[in-house]
Amino acid sequence: MTNLYNRILPTMLLLLSILVGCKDKDPSPASNPDTNISNTVHYTQSMESFPNPERGFLHLTAAFSEGSPLAQSSLQSLRNDNISLVWRLYYFEKFKQIDLSQAQLDLIQTDMDNLRSAGLKCVLRFAYTNNSDDGTDAPIEVVERHLDQLQPLFEANADVIAFVNAGFVGLWGEWHSSTNNLTDLANQKRIVTKLLEVIPSEIKIQLRTPRQKRDIFGEQTAMTDEVGYSDADIARVGHHNDCFMASYDDYGTYDNPNTDKNYISQEAFYVPTGGETCPPSGVDAADCEEARETMSLLKWSYLNLDWYKPIIDGWKSEGCFEEFEREMGYRLALDSTTIDTVVSKSTPLDIALYLYNHGWAPIYNHKTVSLVLSPASGDPVRMVLDVDIRKARPGASFNIAETLDLSDVPTGKYALHLHIADQFELIAERPEYSVRLANENVWDSHTGWNDLFQTIEITE
């Protein structure tokens, strides 16, 4: 009897421990009304080309002193060609020794108004000459005075200014020569300091060569996250290249091409790169393979379609133009989302969004990222997420996981959307300035929201 008891007792204790262990585990949702029910949705990537703010192919439009404004009809038609940016270059050839006229300032404001009406932004540059026979620019004091005059325009129109080329110096404002010693390092520092002073802090500027940035700031190494995502002046200065892939050193853009390209590649996690090509000199025209490799390395965000056209036409004939149109700049797409679908007001809502940046570059300007809860009737509820979308790096996953407080949200059923809106309130609700995700059937062109195909029921 004792032997039988000794054999049975361990078995009974084991069964008892299993039962106790099962009791200690989380109960099923059906037995506990406070347990949330989650749902996972997977998404299909879209290969469609479409415009998104502050990125992509653009057109260069130049205006001479007190010239004609951008045509509203032309601007409105650009979006049909997947254009969201205009490169606007103002020549101040009449004002090399005097203040800008009111007519000149009014021209710029009219352009900004027209861009806003059409749903576009611009890359700005200012210069004093495009005439190689008379390539005179202005004295440094005049440049600084002109920037003071432009400051109210920068502030009033920051919402439609994507980036600003440093400009002002030499032929085409390209910083490679000057008749007023503006290429002297001391004057370069004065111009960059003034630009950063008069241009709102939300806007980044761009210099012509990596050497210029290193010399001006006295920093020889590329930025890291600690500096790149900070409010430091150096974190507001990017790069533009006006002879991209056109020679061994891109017409003097690089001192040491390999070293300088690696420097820009790291910098471009935080500050934009863009520009235009040139007639090739000493090298073959950049084919699709070279262009893809170089633009991906340098995280290219925008490129002028108007110069140099034989290069652009070559990409079209080789069949890579549409690929470049898609991948230039950022291109965010959802992989999946997991979201609680039934939750009480007293229980936090857990959301997990898994995205991937298929583009060559990150988003450079701050955006407001919101989860929008849309009821069948009534006003939607917007919940701003604590996320810096600029950190969605190219060629990498980017995940958003948050717990949201629903205590102030009315009970009911809601469809869920993701809205990545412009940081400026004036245009934040406009679809043209919202970020469209590269997924099938998610985009709502009327609201600028991306449908998550998720629903939530909020109970008491």
Side-chain angles (χ1 to χ4, degrees):
M1 183 71 177
T2 302
N3 291 337
L4 179 62
Y5 178 81
N6 289 337
R7 290 197 300 269
I8 294 175
L9 180 60
T11 302
M12 294 177 65
L13 291 173
L14 175 63
L15 290 172
L16 180 61
S17 67
I18 292 173
L19 291 172
V20 171
C22 290
K23 185 177 181 180
D24 286 343
K25 290 182 179 179
D26 291 337
S28 65
S31 63
N32 185 351
D34 291 330
T35 299
N36 300 349
I37 303 172
S38 65
N39 181 57
T40 297
V41 175
H42 297 273
Y43 304 86
T44 301
Q45 183 186 350
S46 169
M47 300 306 291
E48 181 184 353
S49 294
F50 51 80
N52 251 333
E54 301 150 6
R55 56 153 298 278
F57 286 113
L58 50 64
H59 289 287
L60 173 64
T61 61
F64 291 95
S65 297
E66 302 175 339
S68 300
L70 293 165
Q72 183 72 268
S73 58
S74 298
L75 292 175
Q76 290 173 341
S77 69
L78 289 179
R79 291 193 66 87
N80 296 330
D81 295 327
N82 296 324
I83 301 294
S84 68
L85 273 177
V86 172
W87 198 355
R88 190 56 162 162
L89 171 54
Y90 295 98
Y91 287 109
F92 295 158
E93 78 280 1
K94 292 183 179 179
F95 307 106
K96 295 177 183 180
Q97 301 294 333
I98 60 175
D99 281 359
L100 301 175
S101 66
Q102 188 59 49
Q104 178 63 48
L105 298 173
D106 289 345
L107 165 65
I108 298 171
Q109 184 58 59
T110 298
D111 282 346
M112 299 300 108
D113 292 339
N114 289 345
L115 284 165
R116 189 178 295 106
S117 294
L120 278 75
K121 293 196 177 192
C122 65
V123 177
L124 279 181
R125 185 190 294 182
F126 304 94
Y128 292 100
T129 181
N130 74 331
N131 186 343
S132 57
D133 294 327
D134 179 26
T136 56
D137 47 29
I140 184 64
E141 295 79 12
V142 173
V143 175
E144 290 176 326
R145 172 57 186 155
H146 287 170
L147 281 168
D148 283 331
Q149 289 186 274
L150 291 168
Q151 182 172 3
L153 289 171
F154 291 139
E155 294 172 347
N157 300 288
D159 58 321
V160 291
I161 300 172
F163 315 114
V164 179
N165 297 163
F168 292 102
V169 179
L171 191 63
W172 307 301
E174 289 189 2
W175 281 55
H176 50 65
S177 61
S178 172
T179 59
N180 283 278
N181 203 32
L182 298 182
T183 52
D184 176 78
L185 180 57
N187 284 333
Q188 289 181 349
K189 289 182 177 180
R190 285 178 65 173
I191 292 171
V192 169
T193 298
K194 194 67 175 180
L195 282 164
L196 294 173
E197 174 190 323
V198 302
I199 294 174
S201 60
E202 296 89 347
I203 300 174
K204 291 177 169 59
I205 70 171
Q206 296 173 289
L207 286 168
R208 179 64 183 84
T209 73
R211 180 183 67 255
Q212 289 162 351
K213 179 171 182 179
R214 289 193 293 255
D215 289 347
I216 288 169
F217 288 96
E219 180 57 66
Q220 299 303 306
T221 58
M223 294 182 291
T224 60
D225 286 5
E226 182 179 4
V227 175
Y229 293 125
S230 75
D231 296 328
D233 283 349
I234 196 172
R236 292 180 57 199
V237 180
H239 308 273
H240 71 90
N241 183 342
D242 293 345
C243 276
F244 189 46
M245 299 182 293
S247 72
Y248 170 73
D249 62 357
D250 283 359
Y251 284 58
T253 299
Y254 309 122
D255 294 332
N256 182 314
N258 289 334
T259 299
D260 286 344
K261 287 178 182 179
N262 288 330
Y263 168 83
I264 291 176
S265 181
Q266 175 63 29
E267 287 263 306
F269 283 122
Y270 320 104
V271 291
T273 61
E276 62 187 6
T277 62
C278 270
S281 175
V283 298
D284 294 331
D287 60 12
C288 287
E289 182 178 358
E290 180 186 357
R292 181 185 298 110
E293 179 180 352
T294 306
M295 286 194 280
S296 176
L297 172 67
L298 302 182
K299 302 170 182 61
W300 212 249
S301 267
Y302 67 86
L303 184 72
N304 180 18
L305 281 170
D306 302 314
W307 184 259
Y308 174 64
K309 286 188 70 67
I311 299 291
I312 307 295
D313 292 340
W315 297 340
K316 291 179 178 179
S317 64
E318 287 185 62
C320 60
F321 179 83
E322 289 187 1
E323 172 195 345
F324 294 175
E325 188 177 43
R326 289 193 302 269
E327 297 186 6
M328 193 175 300
Y330 61 88
R331 187 175 176 88
L332 303 181
L334 283 164
D335 287 335
S336 66
T337 59
T338 299
I339 296 177
D340 295 337
T341 58
V342 178
V343 59
S344 69
K345 289 169 62 71
S346 60
T347 305
L349 169 66
D350 290 324
I351 64 169
L353 285 66
Y354 302 92
L355 299 99
Y356 194 92
N357 186 353
H358 296 274
W360 291 331
I363 292 173
Y364 292 110
N365 294 328
H366 283 283
K367 305 291 179 186
T368 302
V369 183
S370 302
L371 183 71
V372 182
L373 286 64
S374 181
S377 61
D379 296 329
V381 177
R382 182 181 300 274
M383 310 196 77
V384 177
L385 305 181
D386 182 21
V387 57
D388 188 348
I389 201 69
R390 299 177 304 160
K391 296 182 180 180
R393 291 195 163 186
S397 298
F398 182 76
N399 304 327
I400 302 172
E402 291 206 23
T403 300
L404 305 177
D405 180 5
L406 299 177
S407 57
D408 293 330
V409 182
T411 59
K413 294 183 178 180
Y414 297 87
L416 303 185
H417 307 265
L418 187 69
H419 188 204
I420 306 175
D422 196 273
Q423 63 184 316
F424 292 100
E425 185 177 356
L426 184 61
I427 58 174
E429 295 302 317
R430 290 185 55 181
E432 309 98 308
Y433 296 109
S434 301
V435 175
R436 176 178 175 177
L437 298 180
N439 293 103
E440 298 285 354
N441 304 317
V442 303
W443 178 244
D444 186 331
S445 61
H446 299 291
T447 61
W449 303 346
N450 298 277
D451 194 342
L452 298 181
F453 295 101
Q454 294 268 24
T455 59
I456 182 172
E457 181 179 359
I458 302 175
T459 65
E460 288 290 350

